Amino acid sequence: MRWCVSIGAVLVVGAMAGGDVAGVAAPNSRSQLADTKDNVPSVDVELVIAVDVSYSMDMDELAVQREGYAQAIVSKDFLQALKSGPNNKVAVTYFEWSASTDQKIIVPWRVIEGPESADAVAAEIMKTPVRQGSNTSISGAINFALPLFQENPYRGLRRVIDISGDGPNNNGAPVTGARDAALEKGITINGLSIMVKEPSYSTDIYDLDLYYEDCVIGGPGSFVVTLKDLDNFKEAIRTKLILEVAGRTPEHRIVPAAEKEPRVPCLIGETFWEDRWGR
């Protein structure tokens, strides 16, 4: 089941950080345990963070995005969320993406189990210069993420791809095929739809949150956090990471991200788009 989550969901996160998780439910991860190997270190979640750095994001936005992830990982709420699982630790890798052949690992697999390891990962995120790339290939990012789980020396109770972006898939293979391949492996995909600018290209869309809900995210407990104000960038990232690490999603939508009709075609930006999206 999938949910659209506004950054107002941070109030749920606050309750979780305080130990009150009434009204939320952990996703059933039984299917995701099928390929867990014996005799390897265990973590609560294997989390791949896939971050959009396409040219539609300006350098200021990219810098705020980087800082948002770094600050979220060292935040008190994030460290509290680590205590939600039986192992009290997570494995994280962070890469940036744009076109179908443009992905760069910024932080290889690292285990976060407390303040010191969180500080180390945050420092790794911040030390690499911010860059930009052309096009937006969500499918390329998902396909790049899949083999990373096989390379991870740790095995988690859950496997999650956390993908952020500010536009629809407009390069590479269709996004739904990549999503479905991940779901077949028991991997959950969550999203952050970045909607801080008015669409400016023929393949941009207004209701990116709906597109992410219908075409990108999937798996047990999957959700999309919507971002419509740059000032809330860091808060949105923190909300998303805490929900993922704690393994919980709102039982119901907190605030509807947008009107639910009409739905956005998943092939927009790939092979066709409707006239209303060419504004």
Side-chain angles (χ1 to χ4, degrees), residues 112-279:
I112 301 177
E113 53 189 340
E116 290 186 4
S117 50
D119 287 345
V121 170
E124 281 194 86
I125 291 174
M126 292 303 297
K127 73 179 183 181
T128 304
V130 174
R131 72 184 187 94
Q132 288 178 301
S134 61
N135 296 318
T136 302
S137 182
I138 302 172
S139 59
I142 295 173
N143 288 333
F144 182 82
L146 295 184
L148 297 181
F149 290 106
Q150 300 305 315
E151 300 167 10
N152 183 16
Y154 297 86
R155 285 298 174 263
L157 302 179
R158 294 175 289 116
R159 293 180 172 184
V160 177
I161 299 173
D162 170 336
I163 190 161
S164 63
D166 72 338
N169 195 71
N170 62 24
N171 179 254
V175 66
T176 50
R179 176 200 60 195
D180 293 347
L183 301 188
E184 288 176 3
K185 296 179 181 294
I187 296 167
T188 293
I189 302 176
N190 296 325
L192 172 65
S193 61
I194 302 169
M195 306 163 63
V196 299
K197 294 178 179 177
E198 285 291 311
S200 58
Y201 300 102
S202 61
T203 55
D204 282 350
I205 56 177
Y206 283 82
D207 295 332
L208 186 64
D209 46 0
L210 301 185
Y211 176 87
Y212 261 68
E213 185 186 22
D214 284 350
C215 311
V216 178
I217 69 170
S222 60
F223 61 88
V224 54
V225 174
T226 63
L227 174 66
K228 297 185 179 182
D229 186 340
L230 187 61
D231 291 339
N232 293 326
F233 215 136
K234 296 176 183 179
E235 179 186 342
I237 291 171
R238 186 171 66 252
T239 298
K240 179 163 58 77
L241 291 184
I242 292 169
L243 290 171
E244 288 166 337
V245 168
R248 304 191 181 274
T249 56
E251 187 175 356
H252 300 290
R253 293 181 175 94
I254 305 296
V255 177
E259 295 298 324
K260 294 304 171 189
E261 295 295 339
R263 309 305 292 188
V264 182
C266 289
L267 289 179
I268 188 170
E270 293 169 357
T271 58
F272 75 90
W273 58 87
E274 295 178 349
D275 289 341
R276 79 176 295 257
W277 305 113
R279 291 177 289 183

Side-chain angles (χ1 to χ4, degrees), residues 59-137:
M59 295 302 288
D60 288 340
E61 290 172 331
L62 293 174
V64 170
Q65 180 172 244
R66 276 278 191 90
E67 292 171 5
Y69 279 101
Q71 291 181 12
I73 286 171
V74 300
S75 70
K76 176 180 65 177
D77 290 341
F78 181 89
L79 294 174
Q80 181 67 34
L82 285 177
K83 301 176 182 179
S84 301
N87 297 296
N88 302 136
K89 53 188 170 183
V90 299
V92 175
T93 184
Y94 177 109
F95 76 87
E96 295 175 341
W97 59 272
S98 55
S100 61
T101 57
D102 186 355
Q103 300 89 23
K104 180 179 180 180
I105 294 177
I106 305 300
V107 180
W109 284 109
R110 298 284 185 261
V111 170
I112 301 177
E113 53 189 340
E116 290 186 4
S117 50
D119 287 345
V121 170
E124 281 194 86
I125 291 174
M126 292 303 297
K127 73 179 183 181
T128 304
V130 174
R131 72 184 187 94
Q132 288 178 301
S134 61
N135 296 318
T136 302
S137 182

